[in-house]
PDB file of all heavy atoms in Angstrom:
ATOM      1  N   LEU A 201     -85.447 -42.274 -40.332  1.00  0.00           N
ATOM      2  CA  LEU A 201     -85.698 -42.673 -38.949  1.00  0.00           C
ATOM      3  C   LEU A 201     -86.980 -43.480 -38.823  1.00  0.00           C
ATOM      4  O   LEU A 201     -87.040 -44.468 -38.080  1.00  0.00           O
ATOM      5  CB  LEU A 201     -85.763 -41.436 -38.058  1.00  0.00           C
ATOM      6  CG  LEU A 201     -84.429 -40.793 -37.671  1.00  0.00           C
ATOM      7  CD1 LEU A 201     -84.682 -39.495 -36.911  1.00  0.00           C
ATOM      8  CD2 LEU A 201     -83.574 -41.737 -36.844  1.00  0.00           C
ATOM      9  N   ASP A 202     -88.017 -43.058 -39.528  1.00  0.00           N
ATOM     10  CA  ASP A 202     -89.299 -43.765 -39.435  1.00  0.00           C
ATOM     11  C   ASP A 202     -89.172 -45.201 -39.931  1.00  0.00           C
ATOM     12  O   ASP A 202     -89.778 -46.121 -39.374  1.00  0.00           O
ATOM     13  CB  ASP A 202     -90.381 -43.025 -40.217  1.00  0.00           C
ATOM     14  CG  ASP A 202     -90.836 -41.745 -39.533  1.00  0.00           C
ATOM     15  OD1 ASP A 202     -90.550 -41.586 -38.328  1.00  0.00           O
ATOM     16  OD2 ASP A 202     -91.465 -40.907 -40.199  1.00  0.00           O
ATOM     17  N   ASP A 203     -88.386 -45.407 -40.990  1.00  0.00           N
ATOM     18  CA  ASP A 203     -88.189 -46.764 -41.508  1.00  0.00           C
ATOM     19  C   ASP A 203     -87.455 -47.627 -40.486  1.00  0.00           C
ATOM     20  O   ASP A 203     -87.792 -48.806 -40.291  1.00  0.00           O
ATOM     21  CB  ASP A 203     -87.411 -46.724 -42.816  1.00  0.00           C
ATOM     22  CG  ASP A 203     -88.213 -46.120 -43.960  1.00  0.00           C
ATOM     23  OD1 ASP A 203     -89.457 -46.119 -43.864  1.00  0.00           O
ATOM     24  OD2 ASP A 203     -87.603 -45.637 -44.935  1.00  0.00           O
ATOM     25  N   LEU A 204     -86.447 -47.048 -39.829  1.00  0.00           N
ATOM     26  CA  LEU A 204     -85.719 -47.788 -38.803  1.00  0.00           C
ATOM     27  C   LEU A 204     -86.635 -48.118 -37.627  1.00  0.00           C
ATOM     28  O   LEU A 204     -86.588 -49.218 -37.068  1.00  0.00           O
ATOM     29  CB  LEU A 204     -84.511 -46.978 -38.327  1.00  0.00           C
ATOM     30  CG  LEU A 204     -83.398 -46.771 -39.355  1.00  0.00           C
ATOM     31  CD1 LEU A 204     -82.345 -45.805 -38.810  1.00  0.00           C
ATOM     32  CD2 LEU A 204     -82.746 -48.095 -39.734  1.00  0.00           C
ATOM     33  N   ALA A 205     -87.489 -47.149 -37.264  1.00  0.00           N
ATOM     34  CA  ALA A 205     -88.428 -47.369 -36.163  1.00  0.00           C
ATOM     35  C   ALA A 205     -89.420 -48.488 -36.489  1.00  0.00           C
ATOM     36  O   ALA A 205     -89.909 -49.184 -35.592  1.00  0.00           O
ATOM     37  CB  ALA A 205     -89.179 -46.077 -35.848  1.00  0.00           C
ATOM     38  N   ASN A 206     -89.697 -48.654 -37.783  1.00  0.00           N
ATOM     39  CA  ASN A 206     -90.649 -49.678 -38.218  1.00  0.00           C
ATOM     40  C   ASN A 206     -89.983 -51.013 -38.538  1.00  0.00           C
ATOM     41  O   ASN A 206     -90.600 -51.895 -39.146  1.00  0.00           O
ATOM     42  CB  ASN A 206     -91.436 -49.179 -39.429  1.00  0.00           C
ATOM     43  CG  ASN A 206     -92.394 -48.054 -39.067  1.00  0.00           C
ATOM     44  OD1 ASN A 206     -92.948 -48.034 -37.964  1.00  0.00           O
ATOM     45  ND2 ASN A 206     -92.588 -47.113 -39.977  1.00  0.00           N
ATOM     46  N   GLY A 207     -88.713 -51.140 -38.153  1.00  0.00           N
ATOM     47  CA  GLY A 207     -88.061 -52.442 -38.268  1.00  0.00           C
ATOM     48  C   GLY A 207     -87.060 -52.604 -39.386  1.00  0.00           C
ATOM     49  O   GLY A 207     -86.486 -53.694 -39.541  1.00  0.00           O
ATOM     50  N   GLU A 208     -86.854 -51.575 -40.204  1.00  0.00           N
ATOM     51  CA  GLU A 208     -85.849 -51.701 -41.254  1.00  0.00           C
ATOM     52  C   GLU A 208     -84.477 -51.932 -40.628  1.00  0.00           C
ATOM     53  O   GLU A 208     -84.102 -51.267 -39.662  1.00  0.00           O
ATOM     54  CB  GLU A 208     -85.824 -50.447 -42.126  1.00  0.00           C
ATOM     55  CG  GLU A 208     -84.830 -50.518 -43.275  1.00  0.00           C
ATOM     56  CD  GLU A 208     -84.912 -49.290 -44.178  1.00  0.00           C
ATOM     57  OE1 GLU A 208     -85.793 -49.260 -45.053  1.00  0.00           O
ATOM     58  OE2 GLU A 208     -84.092 -48.362 -43.991  1.00  0.00           O
ATOM     59  N   LYS A 209     -83.705 -52.841 -41.190  1.00  0.00           N
ATOM     60  CA  LYS A 209     -82.390 -53.169 -40.650  1.00  0.00           C
ATOM     61  C   LYS A 209     -81.414 -52.015 -40.907  1.00  0.00           C
ATOM     62  O   LYS A 209     -81.295 -51.535 -42.034  1.00  0.00           O
ATOM     63  CB  LYS A 209     -81.856 -54.443 -41.300  1.00  0.00           C
ATOM     64  CG  LYS A 209     -80.520 -54.905 -40.727  1.00  0.00           C
ATOM     65  CD  LYS A 209     -80.072 -56.194 -41.376  1.00  0.00           C
ATOM     66  CE  LYS A 209     -78.726 -56.642 -40.813  1.00  0.00           C
ATOM     67  NZ  LYS A 209     -78.259 -57.910 -41.439  1.00  0.00           N
ATOM     68  N   PRO A 210     -80.717 -51.548 -39.871  1.00  0.00           N
ATOM     69  CA  PRO A 210     -79.749 -50.466 -40.081  1.00  0.00           C
ATOM     70  C   PRO A 210     -78.553 -50.944 -40.901  1.00  0.00           C
ATOM     71  O   PRO A 210     -78.032 -52.044 -40.669  1.00  0.00           O
ATOM     72  CB  PRO A 210     -79.323 -50.087 -38.659  1.00  0.00           C
ATOM     73  CG  PRO A 210     -79.591 -51.301 -37.836  1.00  0.00           C
ATOM     74  CD  PRO A 210     -80.788 -51.960 -38.445  1.00  0.00           C
ATOM     75  N   VAL A 211     -78.146 -50.143 -41.857  1.00  0.00           N
ATOM     76  CA  VAL A 211     -76.954 -50.444 -42.665  1.00  0.00           C
ATOM     77  C   VAL A 211     -75.762 -49.780 -41.998  1.00  0.00           C
ATOM     78  O   VAL A 211     -75.699 -48.555 -41.914  1.00  0.00           O
ATOM     79  CB  VAL A 211     -77.115 -49.931 -44.108  1.00  0.00           C
ATOM     80  CG1 VAL A 211     -75.847 -50.199 -44.901  1.00  0.00           C
ATOM     81  CG2 VAL A 211     -78.315 -50.580 -44.775  1.00  0.00           C
ATOM     82  N   LEU A 212     -74.830 -50.586 -41.513  1.00  0.00           N
ATOM     83  CA  LEU A 212     -73.667 -50.066 -40.802  1.00  0.00           C
ATOM     84  C   LEU A 212     -72.417 -50.191 -41.662  1.00  0.00           C
ATOM     85  O   LEU A 212     -72.124 -51.259 -42.211  1.00  0.00           O
ATOM     86  CB  LEU A 212     -73.461 -50.822 -39.490  1.00  0.00           C
ATOM     87  CG  LEU A 212     -74.510 -50.607 -38.399  1.00  0.00           C
ATOM     88  CD1 LEU A 212     -74.250 -51.538 -37.219  1.00  0.00           C
ATOM     89  CD2 LEU A 212     -74.512 -49.157 -37.938  1.00  0.00           C
ATOM     90  N   TYR A 213     -71.683 -49.079 -41.777  1.00  0.00           N
ATOM     91  CA  TYR A 213     -70.399 -49.081 -42.472  1.00  0.00           C
ATOM     92  C   TYR A 213     -69.297 -49.244 -41.432  1.00  0.00           C
ATOM     93  O   TYR A 213     -69.385 -48.726 -40.316  1.00  0.00           O
ATOM     94  CB  TYR A 213     -70.232 -47.787 -43.271  1.00  0.00           C
ATOM     95  CG  TYR A 213     -71.289 -47.638 -44.344  1.00  0.00           C
ATOM     96  CD1 TYR A 213     -72.521 -47.050 -44.055  1.00  0.00           C
ATOM     97  CD2 TYR A 213     -71.078 -48.147 -45.617  1.00  0.00           C
ATOM     98  CE1 TYR A 213     -73.512 -46.947 -45.022  1.00  0.00           C
ATOM     99  CE2 TYR A 213     -72.064 -48.051 -46.598  1.00  0.00           C
ATOM    100  CZ  TYR A 213     -73.277 -47.449 -46.292  1.00  0.00           C
ATOM    101  OH  TYR A 213     -74.256 -47.359 -47.251  1.00  0.00           O
ATOM    102  N   SER A 214     -68.256 -49.975 -41.796  1.00  0.00           N
ATOM    103  CA  SER A 214     -67.243 -50.365 -40.816  1.00  0.00           C
ATOM    104  C   SER A 214     -66.358 -49.200 -40.391  1.00  0.00           C
ATOM    105  O   SER A 214     -66.161 -48.232 -41.146  1.00  0.00           O
ATOM    106  CB  SER A 214     -66.362 -51.482 -41.391  1.00  0.00           C
ATOM    107  OG  SER A 214     -65.519 -50.967 -42.407  1.00  0.00           O
TER     108      SER A 214
END
Side-chain angles (χ1 to χ4, degrees):
L201 282 174
D202 287 344
D203 291 338
L204 293 173
N206 291 326
E208 182 176 278
K209 184 178 179 180
V211 177
L212 292 174
Y213 298 87
S214 71

